[in-house]
């Protein structure tokens, strides 16, 4: 079973990655013919691009913001869903939906919820007298830079939350029941059990969830592409979406490839640090 | 008698079985799939957008291409996709060196010149039949350096102003805004009037309509991204004045929703009765006219929304074409000859296409619609019937992307990466001064142009 898996990984990940490396050191454009090696010229060029530097900054905000929300939200959800209650199966099923549904469908749904003209949220807000909103200028969820970034973070969090919750639920079920029970007999309350038993014991699995979350977020462009296409004026532009806009829509394949390769060392460093931290925090 | 070998078959059985197999393989597909029996029938694959006027697609797919296919014994397949998806699809086809025979872009695809045939031959054949093409078509599909036509343009779409008569009348502009100063003054009055309050709808997003509207403002102030020789000229006094004007329009009469728009958003905002003015093709009024019989809101809007020429600036009255239909025949197309013939024949029938598009697609070969002025000046579906008369002299104020130069690969990339809309948006929102924004755009355009020259 090893070889089919290896062939699959090479074909789906290895080959495009190798192609991106080859492109990034060339002057290849979408309509050009032939290949010319240009060394580090593309990397130097993008470092002079204000749009790229903005996208790099936005990528960090997008990743850090959504991961904080995912970690807090999934920990709370996992703790809640671990308890036995009526309808737990149904709640767990519903909670999984954002993860199992195609991301494009979910994001399009959110686009309409946050739409400038037909937003259901704004429809309600404008009709609630206490808010005194201008009917022609309700909150523009995707039109104000700060609100737009918050919107893409929230939608991405909505998407990743189930995945992280499932990982944490698995981690919680692996904690020996005697430890929290013993602590409870010794008089430990909810918060003490959470911060001194559950979370420390969950730390290795939390690290894994965080690592996956960072990789999924830093390399994701679907939510940004569908909700804002990087706007308003590049304030939600992230590195993967900029690579797509530059390489495919703009036609500069070599620069698009160079932009996308910028993510690799960052993600390798993050993965190394996270795995190292996970090893150190293993409960022995 | 043939001997049967243990565990195998005899020579005679082998010959019989393989013979039958060959026969089945030969006639089987024709019997099972009768369509394949006509193995020699050619195929012509076309990729183009889903037209904003659906009647055009009905005519193109259902009438014209069918008739052409029958006449030329060709199976014509037309794939329609959203206008936003065309660049990505074209890039994928070029990467695969496989795809459609004809691809229609909505802006000059100069970046693809090396992947496209020289379309001179098509222009020559059409010009023999229908006379000269318009300058706009020439400048949108010709590379003066290589002397090649990298695309063939059949039509363009004017980009007039769409304004609400009731709102503009109320603030003293019964004929709507005629200049950028009128727009600022009138839109401001409408927005600040407590009984009205409608915002103006000039887009500031990274999308097609914004690209066209902001370029119109830039050019009408005398600014441009390049000069006739292709030198970057964006950082100029004229650009800075245009940026200041846009900032005033946004801050006094618009809302942040204009930063969120896609190409159909201004249509929706206008038809929902929300905005007072947008720069767009006539798809807005055409939708209202199409749906007025069944939708009271559309009936109301079809009466209220008027069309005017591009706005006059301190230097000139000018706007970009809204859409430039540019057909490309790939070098790797499987049916190049069919594609060329299709385009030539299509221009023969352009008069029908013009009507089917409800006067949305204007001809690049004016002789194909000799009575254009009369047709658009008396349109029974419009209210009033002469609503579109203002478009009669559209060629006096419509120009190409890249004006005053040609559309090069660099201009194409600047267009597709939204450098100009971003420059305007940052100033409008107050995130950058006009001077800094023009400087930043200059750096980005120079960077792109230099990369294109190097590549």
């Amino acid at each position: 079973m090893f070889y089919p898996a290896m062939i699959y990984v090479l074909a789906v990940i290895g080959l495009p990655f190798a192609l991106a490396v080859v492109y990034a050191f060339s002057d290849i454009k979408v309509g050009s013919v032939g290949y010319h090696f240009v060394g580090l010229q593309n990397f130097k060029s993008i470092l002079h691009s204000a749009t790229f530097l903005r996208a790099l900054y936005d990528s960090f905000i997008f990743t850090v913001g959504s991961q904080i929300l995912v970690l807090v939200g999934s920990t709370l959800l996992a703790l809640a869903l671990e308890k036995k209650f009526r309808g737990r199966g149904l709640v767990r099923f519903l909670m999984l939906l954002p993860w199992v549904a195609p991301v494009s469908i979910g994001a399009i749904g959110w686009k309409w919820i946050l739409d400038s003209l037909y937003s259901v949220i704004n429809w309600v807000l404008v009709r609630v007298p206490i808010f005194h909103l201008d009917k022609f200028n309700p909150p523009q969820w995707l039109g104000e830079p700060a609100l737009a970034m918050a919107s893409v973070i929230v939608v991405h969090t909505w998407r990743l939350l189930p995945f992280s919750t499932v990982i944490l639920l698995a981690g919680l079920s692996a904690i020996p029941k005697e430890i929290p029970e013993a602590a409870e007999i010794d008089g430990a309350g909810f918060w003490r059990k959470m911060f001194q038993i559950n979370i420390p014991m969950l730390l290795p699995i939390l690290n894994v969830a965080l690592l996956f979350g960072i990789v999924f977020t830093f390399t994701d462009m679907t939510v940004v592409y569908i909700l804002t296409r990087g706007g308003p004026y590049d304030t939600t532009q992230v590195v993967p979406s900029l690579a797509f806009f530059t390489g495919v829509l703009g036609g500069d394949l070599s620069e698009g490839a160079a932009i996308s390769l910028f993510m690799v060392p960052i993600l390798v460093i993050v993965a190394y640090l996270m795995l190292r931290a996970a090893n150190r925090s293993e409960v022995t | 008698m043939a001997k049967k070998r243990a565990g195998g078959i005899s020579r005679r059985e082998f010959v019989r079985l393989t013979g039958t197999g060959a026969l089945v393989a030969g006639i089987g597909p024709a019997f099972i799939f009768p369509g394949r029996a006509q193995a020699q029938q050619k195929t012509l694959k076309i990729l183009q957008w889903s037209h904003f006027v659906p009647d055009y697609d009905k005519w193109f797919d259902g009438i014209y291409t069918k008739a052409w296919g029958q006449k030329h014994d060709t199976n014509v397949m037309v794939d329609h996709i959203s206008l936003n998806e065309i660049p990505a699809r074209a890039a994928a086809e070029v990467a695969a060196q496989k795809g459609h025979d004809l691809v229609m872009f909505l802006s000059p695809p100069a970046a693809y010149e090396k992947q496209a045939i020289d379309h001179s031959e098509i222009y020559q054949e059409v010009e023999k039949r229908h006379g000269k093409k318009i300058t706009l078509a020439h400048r949108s599909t010709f590379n003066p350096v290589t002397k090649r036509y990298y695309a063939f343009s059949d039509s363009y779409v004017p980009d007039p102003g769409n304004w609400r008569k009731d709102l503009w009348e109320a603030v003293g502009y019964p004929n709507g805004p005629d200049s950028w100063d009128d727009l600022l003054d009138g839109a401001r009055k409408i927005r600040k009037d407590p009984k009205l309050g409608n915002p103006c709808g000039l887009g500031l997003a990274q999308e097609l309509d914004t690209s066209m509207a902001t370029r119109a403002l830039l050019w009408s102030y005398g600014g441009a991204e390049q000069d006739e020789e292709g030198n970057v000229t964006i950082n100029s006094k004229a650009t800075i004045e245009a940026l200041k004007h846009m900032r005033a329009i946004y801050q006094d009469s618009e809302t942040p929703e204009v930063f969120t728009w896609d190409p159909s958003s201004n249509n929706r905002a206008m038809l929902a009765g929300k905005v007072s003015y947008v720069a767009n093709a006539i798809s807005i009024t055409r939708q209202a006219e199409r749906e007025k019989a069944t939708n009271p809101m559309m009936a109301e809007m079809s009466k209220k929304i008027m069309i005017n020429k591009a706005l006059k600036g301190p230097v000139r009255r000018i706007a970009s074409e809204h859409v430039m239909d540019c057909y490309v025949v790939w070098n790797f197309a499987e049916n190049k000859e069919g594609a060329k013939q299709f385009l030539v024949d299509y221009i023969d029938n352009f008069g029908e296409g013009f009507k089917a598009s409800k006067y949305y697609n204007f001809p690049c070969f004016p002789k194909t619609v000799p009575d254009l002025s009369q047709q658009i000046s008396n349109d029974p579906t419009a209210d009033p019937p002469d609503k579109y008369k203002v478009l009669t002299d559209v060629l006096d104020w419509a120009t190409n992307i890249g004006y005053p130069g040609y559309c090069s690969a660099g201009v194409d990339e600047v267009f597709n990466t939204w450098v100009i809309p971003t420059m305007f948006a940052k100033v409008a929102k107050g995130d950058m001064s006009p001077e800094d924004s023009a400087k930043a755009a200059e750096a980005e355009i120079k960077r792109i142009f230099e990369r294109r020259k190097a590549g």
Side-chain angles (χ1 to χ4, degrees), chain B residues 287-314:
Chain B
Q287 186 179 345
E289 288 155 13
R290 192 171 62 246
E291 295 175 16
K292 66 183 177 186
T294 53
N295 184 336
M297 180 70 177
M298 292 296 173
E300 187 189 340
M301 285 300 143
S302 76
K303 284 181 191 159
K304 286 181 175 172
I305 303 169
M306 296 293 144
I307 303 293
N308 67 0
K309 295 177 188 186
L311 299 174
K312 192 166 64 183

Side-chain angles (χ1 to χ4, degrees), chain A residues 122 126 133-140 144, chain B residues 191 199 254-257 274:
Chain A
N122 286 350
V126 165
L133 287 177
D134 173 3
K135 70 173 179 176
F136 290 116
N137 191 21
Q140 290 300 331
E144 292 281 3
Chain B
R191 176 75 180 128
E254 296 202 308
T255 69
E257 77 171 300
K274 189 170 183 184

Side-chain angles (χ1 to χ4, degrees), chain B residues 252-274:
Chain B
D252 290 359
S253 69
E254 296 202 308
T255 69
E257 77 171 300
V258 294
F259 295 111
T260 74
W261 281 359
D262 61 38
S264 58
S265 299
N266 55 4
N267 294 52
R268 291 196 294 272
M270 196 75 180
L271 289 169
K274 189 170 183 184

Side-chain angles (χ1 to χ4, degrees), chain B residues 91-160:
Chain B
E93 292 198 358
V94 166
Q97 292 287 294
K98 201 166 179 60
H100 294 80
D101 300 297
L102 264 179
V103 174
M104 195 190 88
F105 290 82
L106 297 173
S107 61
Y112 288 98
E113 180 177 348
K114 288 177 184 164
Q115 298 291 342
I117 65 162
D118 184 354
H119 295 71
S120 306
E121 196 187 334
I122 306 171
Y123 272 123
Q124 284 161 10
E125 184 57 33
V126 173
E127 286 184 342
K128 267 188 222 163
R129 301 182 190 190
H130 302 289
K132 286 270 176 208
K133 61 187 162 301
I134 57 173
T135 309
L136 180 56
H138 170 72
R139 295 184 81 88
S140 299
T141 55
F142 184 70
N143 182 342
V145 178
T146 59
K147 311 283 182 206
R148 289 174 89 243
Y149 282 97
Y150 52 79
F152 173 84
S153 185
D154 63 294
S155 64
Y156 68 100
V157 178
D159 195 29

Side-chain angles (χ1 to χ4, degrees), chain A residues 54-118:
Chain A
R54 174 76 207 205
L56 203 57
Y57 169 79
D58 289 341
S59 282
F60 280 107
I61 299 289
F62 179 51
T63 306
V64 172
S66 58
Q67 287 319 297
I68 290 172
L69 290 180
V70 166
L71 273 188
V72 174
S74 59
T75 307
L76 294 174
L77 259 176
L79 287 169
L81 292 174
E82 193 208 10
K83 306 276 177 216
K84 283 186 178 164
F85 59 90
R86 205 171 163 174
R88 186 174 71 163
L90 179 68
V91 174
R92 282 186 172 188
F93 167 74
L94 291 175
M95 187 270 302
L96 272 176
L97 281 181
W99 178 253
V100 295
V103 59
S104 51
I105 292 176
I108 288 170
W110 277 104
K111 187 172 171 65
W112 283 106
I113 290 170
L114 303 170
D115 184 69
S116 63
L117 193 62
Y118 297 119

Side-chain angles (χ1 to χ4, degrees), chain B residues 196-225:
Chain B
L196 305 174
N198 303 62
C200 180
L202 275 185
L204 284 167
Q206 295 173 321
E207 53 92 25
L208 183 75
D209 290 7
T210 300
S211 273
M212 302 311 190
T214 49
R215 277 177 171 80
L217 174 56
L218 178 69
W219 294 332
S220 67
Y221 267 78
E225 54 205 286

